[in-house]
Each structure stands twice: as C-alpha cells, then as structure tokens.
Amino acid sequence: MDREALVARNRKLAAAFHERSFKERVRRAALYDLARLPIPRSRRVRPDRILLIRPDHLGDVLLTTPAIRMLRRALPYAEIHALVGPWSSGVLADYDDLDVVLTLPFPGFSRSPKPDWKSPYQLLLRSARHLRRIGYGSAVIFRPDHWWGAMLAHFAGIPHRVGYGLPEVGPFLTETHELQRGHVVEQNLRLVEHWTGPIAAEKVVLSYPVSEQDRLFVQERLDEWGLDRDARLIAIHPGSGAWVKRWQEERWAQVADLLAREYDATIVITGADHELAMARRIADRMLAPARLVVGDTQIGQLAALYERALLVLGPDSGPLHLAVAVETPTVALFGPADPAEFGPWGPPDRHIVLASPIGCRPCRVLDWGGDPPENHPCMADITVMQVVQAARRLLREHAPD
C-alpha cells in the first residue's frame, strides 16, 4: 500500500474508532436517567473540603499537579484531598499542597479484570458512602471523559461538582466547562479557576519535589555500579503504555551506543516490572555496558535518578514528564498522541519533541487491536540520526562541561 493510500485508510479507521458505538449510546441514555435520581447532600459537608479526582497513571496525574499547586496558593487554609488509583498514589506522596491522598481502583484504569458487569457500580456505591461520611463541599473531575468519577461525586452528595461538560459527564456536574483543545496542564488549570481566577499558562511550572532520601538512594546505586560522583548519566526509558507508542528496540541500542561513546556517558535504562525483558533486549544489543533500573524504584527515586542525568530520552510516557518536572532536558518521540496536548510542559529549547510528518497523525488511537504494526509507521518514521542529533543539541547547550 502506498503512503497516500495508507494515510487515507488510517484516517478513515480513526474516524470510525472515535464514533460512538451502540453500547456507548445506550450507556449515555442510562447515565442521563441516573443523573436525574434525587441524591441528598451529605450531612457532614465541609465547604472548605475539596476532592480532586484523577483516575489515570503517572503522566496524567503529574500533569495535574500545577493545578493543585495553584489551588493551594489560592486557598491556603482549605482542606484538599486527592482521589487517585493506587498505581498513582506515589506520584503525589511528596507534594505538601495536599492534605490527604485517597486511593480507589478505578474501573477501566486498573489492570485487573473486572469480575462482572455489576462490580464497577457496586464499587461506586460503596465508595460514595465512604466519601459521604467524609463530607466534601466541592469535587473536581480532572479527566474530561470520566463519567464514572463524576457519577461518584454525584452519588456522594457533594454539592459543587466541577468538570468538562461532555455528554456522559455533564449531567452529573453542577459547574461545567467547555473542553477546548490545548495542553492537558491548561485543561486542568481551567477547572480550578472557580477558586483561582484565570491563570496565565506561561507562569505555571511543572515541578516535582525530590527528597534528599531519594537522592541518597541514587548515590548508593552509583556506588554499587562503581561510578564516581562526577559520572555522566544518560537515561533511556523505552517503554510506553501501548505498542503503537513504542520505538524499535534496536534503534534505542544504536542511539545508546552513539551517545555513550561520544559523551563518555553511562547509559541507564529505566522501566516498570513488566518492561524488564525489553530493557534486557536493548542492553544485549548494545556494545557499551548499560545499567538497568527496572521495576525496583519508587517514583521519587526515579525522579532523583532523572535529576542526576544529563538527558532523558524515550517515547511519549509518564516518566518523560517526570524528567521534565525535575528540569532535566528530554527528547520525546511522539506517535499517535498529539504533543500539543500531551507534550512536555517546559521550555522547547530544553525539551525536544520528534514526530513523523505522516498525514494521519495524530490519530489519538492507542489500541489498533490486531491491525499489523506496519500499517501504523508514525514511530518507525523517526530515525536514529534524528534522535541522536536532538540529543547532541541538548547536550551541547545544557550539559555541564
């Protein structure tokens, strides 16, 4: 199939993917009916107690923190709680802008299969009773399409519920905003303007509070590797949440060898538990020795490692946002996602985004099912030399001598 035909095909398939299925249309009608049910307010409502709901994983939760910080600045004496998945609680653990971090295994975000169709709704009712006992005055549903979280806040009797007025979500809200295309950080900031007023995006910084204990962990790891305190580290995080967002392993090995040789650097490959095999395959393809930090680090420890590195490279993923948050230069490879929405929130001269010029991206489709990978070449289009040249530029301009 020639390139033009492939682009036309993928555009057509992406449009069909984003259309509402019959099941989704039935669910929307049911949600409208559920939103009409009279739900009494909690008797323990505290107007100054705010619940922030974000069900996602590392990157999306991290990109919510600028809004949390601006909310705390506007309401220094309020009681601010976050409700996140247990997979993300560590992201927020070191932020003193929050009073409490609660966890909930949100359906659709947990990697464990649901027992049956009733279980998400049974969990919702149990969780709503718990939140009702705490008594919140307001709730913010940060994920635009998270109807389950909006319904949870509604059934918990929270009187003021803020979010984006998408069809499934809006009926459960008392304050709705129109979803506008733009960066996720800006989308999050818009939802707290009720308290903060309009916020100039250029004044907002993404940052992560690295602890001395986590820095000590990294130093101990360097000692184990026999590296001195001046060792030059370059980190590669090759994993991502979907195969269509990942780059070829042999190309990462080539990039790693070139940078290790040119900059006398130690390559560190990072990843989660399930990415260990991939990290080992990349290391085995390399000529230079690589150090693996895979599955044995907490979020804060990974942040401290990235803070210590000269550069972090990888596909569109949460760890790349963590590197941005500790002010380490990054090279991010984007495929189906839109960098205008999910790109690094930091100075473009420190954070380079590489993407294919293919006409069907960004398709915003992360699961193509059994469609062959060769039909989706947006990541494969990015060359080794493009990545190396971007890395050289950042190391030349920002690495210490």
Side-chain angles (χ1 to χ4, degrees), residues 126-305:
R126 291 196 303 269
S127 303
R129 285 195 294 270
H130 179 70
L131 297 178
R132 182 180 289 275
R133 286 194 294 270
I134 298 175
Y136 293 97
S138 299
V140 181
I141 295 81
F142 279 113
R143 184 180 174 93
D145 62 355
H146 196 217
W147 58 266
W148 196 93
M151 184 162 64
L152 173 65
H154 173 66
F155 275 74
I158 301 174
H160 181 219
R161 303 179 298 277
V162 185
Y164 283 103
L166 299 185
E168 291 90 347
V169 182
F172 297 105
L173 304 176
T174 60
E175 180 185 327
T176 60
H177 293 252
E178 180 183 356
L179 182 60
Q180 303 171 21
R181 285 292 180 195
H183 200 280
V184 171
V185 168
E186 295 173 294
Q187 293 175 6
N188 293 330
L189 290 169
R190 203 170 292 123
L191 294 181
V192 298
E193 286 184 353
H194 174 89
W195 297 277
T196 65
I199 302 167
E202 60 271 15
K203 296 182 179 179
V204 176
V205 176
L206 176 66
S207 62
Y208 185 89
V210 181
S211 71
E212 289 305 318
Q213 182 178 358
D214 289 331
R215 292 189 177 107
L216 180 61
F217 166 86
V218 172
Q219 187 55 55
E220 290 174 347
R221 182 59 63 91
L222 295 181
D223 292 341
E224 290 174 10
W225 293 339
L227 300 177
D228 61 37
R229 294 179 181 270
D230 297 325
R232 299 163 67 85
L233 305 182
I234 294 176
I236 295 175
H237 186 91
S240 193
W243 66 261
V244 75
K245 296 168 68 175
R246 291 194 285 269
W247 204 42
Q248 293 97 321
E249 294 170 8
E250 62 272 17
R251 295 189 184 183
W252 281 125
Q254 293 173 44
V255 168
D257 277 332
L258 283 167
L259 296 180
R261 182 173 65 251
E262 289 185 20
Y263 295 94
D264 189 25
T266 298
I267 302 298
V268 182
I269 302 174
T270 64
D273 287 328
H274 65 280
E275 295 166 335
L276 178 58
M278 174 176 57
R280 284 176 172 165
R281 288 193 299 269
I282 294 171
D284 289 345
R285 290 174 180 269
M286 292 172 54
L287 299 175
R291 311 294 182 176
L292 272 56
V293 180
V294 180
D296 59 352
T297 51
Q298 299 173 2
I299 297 298
Q301 294 167 345
L302 185 62
L305 174 63

Side-chain angles (χ1 to χ4, degrees), residues 48 84 91 95 126 137 175 191 194 204 208 308 310 342 353 396:
D48 62 342
V84 298
V91 181
Y95 284 93
R126 291 196 303 269
E175 180 185 327
L191 294 181
H194 174 89
V204 176
Y208 185 89
R308 176 68 176 71
L310 299 176
F342 295 103
V353 171
R396 181 174 63 250

Side-chain angles (χ1 to χ4, degrees), residues 20 23-37 121 124 145-152 154-155 166-173:
R20 296 287 172 183
K23 178 181 177 181
E24 289 171 327
R25 293 196 297 271
V26 170
R27 183 182 67 195
R28 178 187 297 183
L31 291 174
Y32 271 94
D33 290 337
L34 287 171
R36 295 191 186 100
L37 293 176
Y121 303 98
L124 184 142
D145 62 355
H146 196 217
W147 58 266
W148 196 93
M151 184 162 64
L152 173 65
H154 173 66
F155 275 74
L166 299 185
E168 291 90 347
V169 182
F172 297 105
L173 304 176

Side-chain angles (χ1 to χ4, degrees), residues 3 6 9-10 243-246 248 358 368-381:
R3 190 79 160 185
L6 181 63
R9 169 195 182 273
N10 287 349
W243 66 261
V244 75
K245 296 168 68 175
R246 291 194 285 269
Q248 293 97 321
I358 191 169
W368 283 106
D371 202 30
E374 56 265 27
N375 290 334
H376 307 282
C378 52
M379 288 296 287
D381 283 349

Side-chain angles (χ1 to χ4, degrees), residues 51-116:
L51 181 66
L52 310 178
I53 299 176
R54 187 87 216 199
D56 308 83
H57 292 263
L58 170 59
D60 291 298
V61 173
L62 193 61
L63 294 175
T64 307
T65 58
I68 295 173
R69 288 193 153 177
M70 298 304 291
L71 182 62
R72 171 56 72 194
R73 185 179 300 179
L75 301 174
Y77 303 110
E79 192 172 324
I80 304 176
H81 297 190
L83 180 62
V84 298
W87 43 82
S88 295
S89 59
V91 181
L92 300 177
D94 291 330
Y95 284 93
D96 56 13
D97 306 283
L98 292 165
D99 297 290
V100 176
V101 177
L102 303 171
T103 62
L104 179 65
F106 290 96
F109 295 86
S110 170
R111 293 193 170 96
S112 301
K114 61 183 180 182
D116 53 56

